[in-house]
Amino acid sequence: MVFKMNLIKKCPLFILLVSTGLIFTIIGIIGRMNVYASQEYDPLTAPILSVMFTGINDDIYPWHVFMGGDAQTMALGNGPKSEIETGILEAEKEEPQEIASAKEEDVSSDTLEKEPPERAAMASQTPEVTEALEEENKAEPFERQEPLRESTKEEIQNHVSADVYGDAGVLRAAEYEFSTVDESYFDDALFIGDSRTVGLRNYTDLSEHADFYCETSLTIYKVLEENFDNQGTVEEALENHDYGKIYLMVGINELGRGTTEDFMAEYTRVVDRLHELEPEAKIFVQGVMRVSGEKSSSDAIFNNSNINARNNAIATLADNDQFFYIDVNEAVCDEEGNLISEYTFDQIHLLGAYYDLWKQFLLVHGVEDN
């Protein structure tokens, strides 16, 4: 006993470090079963306590481990939730501008009624062309779908991503006929995403054509502010380069954090900001890649039911004109909708050899300029 007391007196810093390390390790072990479940961890290269530090990068703090059901929601801070509480984004509130019946300088001032320019142009067309133009003008402007209902308290407490949008967006997106392209199609493309997009960059040759702004554990809540390996932010990239296509793939790390509505509000804000910065670019909203059947059936948070609910939400952004929804799950999942187990090493990420399936999928989902 005297020896232990002398040791403590002589080596207080050592004892403090050992005790702190032990506490962090316990937090890491407990957290791996809940709030740190999405953090990438390799026991061969890093101690279990490392997940606590990677979690802090995603705004998940050690005390969230012991806070129960609302920990993930609290980790969101006042970001996406404030979007839901204050209403729909201003951009969604704006009514489509009506075709101006403005005054024309070459028309006399006593003209009381003016023929719309579109109809005047139709008058010089053949009957077939005129009919086609009239049908086109009858088409209603694209309106983004509102959620069919709100997530329930039970769903929120159990980290269930409620399917509050249904499959209307997916069905609409499927109506578009994509084109087959070659690698040069991606010469003006920007890929934004998490560790799965890191794999697409590292295991295919797309990085020889496109720019990649991707980072392990990236979430939709940090897409615009993240500094990507000293490349700068996405906003800086869009301000300094002209991109014709923007591909976005995030969502796996956000499961269990907040509601489907929270996620969708922030996703919409990011997509609209990308469009604002690069208005001529086609924006490809990529469905979140699913996990294996083994992972899905054993994990209350990281499962394909939750992934499908959030994919149904983001699919509603597709207008098949400027925004497009594409789902790589078509290329990497089995007939039951699960990531094929032979394609993955950890039930979540593709093995290097199978990232080419993603690339081939992209090559047959190009959009030709009108």
Side-chain angles (χ1 to χ4, degrees):
M1 184 67 179
V2 174
F3 172 76
K4 291 182 179 179
M5 292 300 295
N6 289 336
L7 181 62
I8 293 174
K9 290 179 179 179
K10 292 181 178 180
C11 309
L13 182 58
F14 174 75
I15 298 300
L16 178 62
L17 290 175
V18 172
S19 302
T20 303
L22 180 60
I23 293 172
F24 288 174
T25 299
I26 294 173
I27 291 174
I29 293 173
I30 298 174
R32 283 291 293 171
M33 294 183 288
N34 46 65
V35 295
Y36 295 142
S38 66
Q39 302 300 316
E40 293 188 2
Y41 165 64
D42 184 354
L44 298 179
T45 60
I48 186 68
L49 61 84
S50 64
V51 299
M52 188 187 74
F53 297 101
T54 58
I56 291 174
N57 186 54
D58 287 338
D59 298 329
I60 304 175
Y61 298 100
W63 53 86
H64 289 153
V65 173
F66 307 102
M67 294 177 66
D70 292 329
Q72 293 283 16
T73 302
M74 292 181 66
L76 290 175
N78 57 6
K81 185 165 289 188
S82 63
E83 296 282 357
I84 292 292
E85 292 171 349
T86 55
I88 308 303
L89 296 176
E90 291 300 320
E92 297 179 17
K93 294 180 180 178
E94 296 178 359
E95 294 292 333
Q97 293 183 349
E98 295 183 348
I99 299 174
S101 58
K103 302 175 182 178
E104 296 183 9
E105 295 180 357
D106 57 341
V107 179
S108 61
S109 59
D110 59 347
T111 302
L112 298 178
E113 294 185 4
K114 295 185 175 66
E115 188 175 34
E118 289 80 1
R119 188 162 299 279
M122 288 182 191
S124 63
Q125 303 292 341
T126 63
E128 292 79 12
V129 173
T130 301
E131 182 178 353
L133 289 172
E134 287 178 341
E135 288 299 319
E136 182 178 346
N137 288 337
K138 288 179 182 178
E140 296 182 0
F142 177 77
E143 293 185 4
R144 289 175 176 169
Q145 179 183 335
E146 299 290 337
L148 304 176
R149 65 174 178 85
E150 294 182 353
S151 297
T152 66
K153 181 178 179 181
E154 290 72 23
E155 289 168 336
I156 296 172
Q157 290 177 335
N158 293 307
H159 303 303
V160 173
S161 292
D163 188 4
V164 296
Y165 283 87
D167 61 358
V170 172
L171 295 176
R172 177 183 173 86
E175 295 175 357
Y176 187 82
E177 295 185 9
F178 291 95
S179 303
T180 299
V181 297
D182 59 28
E183 283 86 349
S184 64
Y185 177 79
F186 302 103
D187 288 344
D188 64 347
L190 171 65
F191 284 83
I192 306 168
D194 52 33
S195 56
R196 286 152 156 191
T197 302
V198 172
L200 183 67
R201 178 194 66 190
N202 293 346
Y203 293 103
T204 71
D205 60 357
L206 284 178
S207 61
E208 298 176 9
H209 301 273
D211 289 340
F212 279 77
Y213 278 59
C214 49
E215 187 69 50
T216 299
S217 298
L218 183 71
T219 66
I220 192 65
Y221 307 108
K222 293 191 174 183
V223 163
L224 296 178
E225 63 191 45
E226 181 76 17
N227 188 345
F228 292 88
D229 291 332
N230 298 318
Q231 292 175 276
T233 66
V234 166
E235 291 197 354
E236 290 170 344
L238 295 177
E239 289 169 355
N240 296 325
H241 300 84
D242 290 328
Y243 292 106
K245 303 104 186 172
I246 301 174
Y247 291 83
L248 179 62
M249 162 77 89
V250 291
I252 187 67
N253 297 307
E254 296 87 324
L255 293 179
R257 298 178 60 179
T259 66
T260 305
E261 300 95 300
D262 291 332
F263 173 75
M264 182 58 176
E266 184 65 8
Y267 202 106
T268 301
R269 185 184 76 84
V270 170
V271 167
D272 283 342
R273 180 59 176 158
L274 296 176
H275 177 57
E276 178 184 352
L277 292 169
E278 200 70 84
E280 299 302 319
K282 305 294 185 184
I283 297 179
F284 292 84
V285 174
Q286 298 185 87
V288 181
M289 191 184 300
R290 300 191 191 109
V291 298
S292 70
E294 177 184 346
K295 177 71 172 176
S296 183
S297 61
S298 62
D299 199 308
I301 295 176
F302 299 93
N303 58 62
N304 291 330
S305 178
N306 284 347
I307 291 174
N308 292 341
R310 297 202 171 188
N311 281 347
N312 281 350
I314 64 177
T316 63
L317 294 174
D319 62 4
N320 295 340
D321 178 48
Q322 200 74 42
F323 306 97
F324 301 85
Y325 175 76
I326 57 177
D327 189 1
V328 70
N329 289 303
E330 299 172 18
V332 297
C333 289
D334 58 28
E335 25 188 60
E336 295 181 353
N338 301 314
L339 181 63
I340 297 174
S341 57
E342 289 81 6
Y343 290 178
T344 175
F345 65 94
D346 63 354
Q347 316 305 319
I348 297 175
H349 298 85
L350 292 173
L351 285 162
Y354 294 101
Y355 276 98
D356 190 64
L357 294 174
W358 188 352
K359 173 193 170 183
Q360 297 306 318
F361 172 82
L362 294 174
L363 287 171
V364 295
H365 284 79
V367 173
E368 300 289 347
D369 291 331
N370 293 329

